[in-house]
Amino acid sequence: MKAWSSLVACAAAGALSLLPQVALSDTEVVYADAGRNVFEVTVPDFWTLRVGGAREITPSDDDALRPIARVFGLSPELENGVWIGLMSPPQLRGLEDAKDYAQSLSGQLAKTTEITGTESREIAGYPAFVVEGTGRRDGRPVHFTAAVLELPRDRVVVGLTVLEKGYDTSALSDVNAILQSIRAR
């Protein structure tokens, strides 16, 4: 009997030692700009991260070039109509600077957009301003958000989320976890 309880105790200890590895299986990614680490974010397992560098684009309703900061694009490996973009434009120094910018992004997230609401709140422990709206992307109806988080040291994180009509709602817990994992560096 003593040998059996020792075996059970060893098996339980072995199983418990696996738990931290499972809990820490997500990947930490650091967003850097001009050699400075700005923020880190946790990417869940089975999500794809695509990194794009700084560039200039022309919004559909304008002929002028607009600078876009490096973007982290995240989406679940299984196509389900969910996309997240994270960036930290260096010209935005605080929440007040970034509010108009967040609202102006709707035209890049979707076509024929309508802003349905704005609000101030807290995300990941940082003051934030959130813009919500609807529109069409690649001909399909979407719901989008542009959230600006104010970081210390005069930086912000812009978190963009696009949800296509019929998206897999189970991905929302990962979307919220990604946004809540943002930490200033």
Side-chain angles (χ1 to χ4, degrees):
M1 186 67 160
K2 188 174 188 179
W4 176 251
S5 58
S6 293
L7 182 61
V8 169
C10 286
L16 288 175
S17 70
L18 293 177
L19 288 178
Q21 293 171 346
V22 172
L24 297 174
S25 60
D26 297 334
T27 303
E28 299 293 325
V29 180
V30 176
Y31 183 103
D33 178 46
R36 177 179 165 220
N37 293 338
V38 180
F39 69 91
E40 68 181 49
V41 63
T42 302
V43 179
D45 288 343
F46 308 109
W47 277 68
T48 300
L49 170 67
R50 193 176 128 247
V51 179
R55 60 190 164 154
E56 292 184 337
I57 65 170
T58 304
S60 59
D61 59 343
D62 195 357
D63 289 334
L65 288 174
R66 177 181 183 160
I68 300 295
R70 167 186 300 278
V71 176
F72 281 2
L74 299 111
S75 56
E77 285 181 0
L78 298 176
E79 181 58 42
N80 67 358
V82 176
W83 177 84
I84 299 173
L86 299 170
M87 63 182 165
S88 183
Q91 74 274 18
L92 302 176
R93 297 292 180 194
L95 207 51
E96 289 306 313
D97 289 346
K99 287 181 178 181
D100 288 339
Y101 181 81
Q103 292 185 50
S104 75
L105 290 172
S106 65
Q108 275 133 33
L109 298 175
K111 306 279 186 216
T112 61
T113 61
E114 176 185 347
I115 293 178
T116 58
T118 62
E119 73 172 313
S120 295
R121 67 171 100 149
E122 190 173 281
I123 299 175
Y126 301 105
F129 178 73
V130 179
V131 176
E132 295 186 41
T134 59
R136 299 187 75 73
R137 186 174 182 155
D138 298 326
R140 295 184 296 269
V142 298
H143 176 83
F144 63 85
T145 61
V148 182
L149 290 68
E150 184 173 54
L151 300 179
R153 297 179 298 281
D154 297 326
R155 289 303 290 251
V156 300
V157 174
V158 179
L160 310 168
T161 305
V162 178
L163 307 170
E164 293 180 2
K165 184 177 182 179
Y167 70 93
D168 181 357
T169 57
S170 67
L172 287 182
S173 60
D174 281 345
V175 168
N176 289 326
I178 290 166
L179 294 174
Q180 290 298 329
S181 75
I182 295 171
R183 297 290 174 257
R185 290 286 297 225

